[in-house]
Amino acid sequence: MQTIGLIGGMSWESSAAYYELLNRGVERRLGGLHSARTMMASVEFAEVTALQEAEDWDAVAAILAEAGRSVERAGADFLMLCTTTFHRVADQVQDAVDIPLLHLADVVAESAVAEGVESVALLGTRFAMSRSFFTDRIASHGLAVQVPGTQHHDELNRIIYDELVHGKVLDDSRRAVVSMISELWDAGAGGVILGCSELELLVKQADSEIPVFGCTTLHVEAALDRALG
């Protein structure tokens, strides 16, 4: 079993989900008392969020690169960023280490292609939806990518940062997000990517009539495939 390196803390709710799913996945696949071999470096969410809002991406990259180096030194065989928004600096993190980084956008795009989906919608933070770093990487796999209308960006951002990162899962917010998914379906999306780990706390496949691709779940399954060979 390979050792999985995790860069977490963005948010800790997301990182906790990664840790739980990785261990449950190993137990499901191997049985008995088996658990995942992991190394995690958890950064301070408020610090990196403030730097993100200030557009100081060099500073963000420096923090996450050092976190990556620390788990590499601790024996990790490959690396995961437990976040979507901060994949903005994934290339800089990859350049800072000698182990491979399992890029979230590649994992999700490959899953959508395997399902025969040609057009996907991305739900995530306002930053992830309004910039192209993540959607372009998905599109490089031959997929058409759309995001909700800008009138929904603030609401999604509020749900993520004011509720979900604090563990608050509210029915009103679920209905609001499901309504956005319906709009995207009407606009031609053949599937929806929950492009923020915390959104998987809120929306499940049963809530949607089109395929739902949960970033955390798919990222974890790809990591288990690699770690267990």
Side-chain angles (χ1 to χ4, degrees):
M1 185 190 306
Q2 291 189 338
T3 299
I4 303 167
L6 304 168
I7 301 178
M10 301 163 285
S11 67
W12 71 261
E13 288 278 354
S14 167
S15 304
Y18 267 88
Y19 185 77
E20 179 179 357
L21 290 170
L22 285 166
N23 282 285
R24 290 194 183 280
V26 170
E27 182 182 41
R28 183 182 72 249
R29 294 188 186 203
L30 299 183
L33 298 177
H34 288 288
S35 60
R37 288 179 176 160
T38 61
M39 297 290 179
M40 179 183 286
S42 188
V43 302
E44 213 280 278
F45 193 31
E47 178 185 14
V48 293
T49 298
L51 292 169
Q52 171 212 326
E53 291 172 350
E55 298 283 352
D56 191 349
W57 288 106
D58 288 341
V60 172
I63 291 169
L64 299 189
E66 178 52 36
R69 286 190 291 266
S70 72
V71 295
E72 181 180 26
R73 289 193 297 267
D77 293 294
F78 64 94
L79 191 60
M80 304 172 74
L81 279 167
C82 303
T83 169
T84 302
T85 296
F86 292 96
H87 267 74
R88 167 67 174 73
V89 296
D91 289 344
Q92 293 95 312
V93 174
Q94 177 63 90
D95 289 343
V97 297
D98 293 321
I99 55 176
L101 184 144
L102 187 59
H103 199 292
L104 178 56
D106 293 338
V107 167
V108 177
E110 288 164 6
S111 180
V113 170
E115 289 289 322
V117 173
E118 297 179 352
S119 175
V120 294
L122 174 71
L123 302 182
T125 63
R126 181 172 53 228
F127 183 85
M129 292 186 294
S130 63
R131 307 297 177 91
S132 64
F133 67 95
F134 205 74
T135 53
D136 283 352
R137 184 90 175 213
I138 294 170
S140 72
H141 291 261
L143 292 164
V145 188
Q146 58 179 298
V147 298
T150 55
Q151 71 273 18
H152 296 307
H153 289 195
D154 286 344
E155 178 68 359
L156 265 174
N157 218 58
R158 184 195 64 76
I159 289 169
I160 292 166
Y161 283 107
D162 293 351
E163 297 173 10
L164 296 175
V165 300
H166 301 294
K168 298 177 182 179
V169 181
L170 306 180
D171 287 339
D172 285 348
S173 295
R174 178 179 295 108
R175 285 190 288 270
V177 174
V178 169
S179 177
M180 294 177 205
I181 292 173
S182 296
E183 287 183 23
L184 291 161
W185 185 22
D186 290 342
V192 61
I193 295 170
L194 302 181
C196 180
S197 301
E198 290 83 5
L199 283 171
E200 288 187 67
L201 302 171
L202 188 68
V203 176
K204 310 297 182 186
Q205 181 62 69
D207 298 313
S208 171
E209 296 187 65
I210 60 175
V212 172
F213 300 98
C215 278
T216 302
T217 300
L218 292 171
H219 211 190
V220 164
E221 290 301 314
L224 292 172
D225 288 344
R226 178 172 295 210
L228 299 178

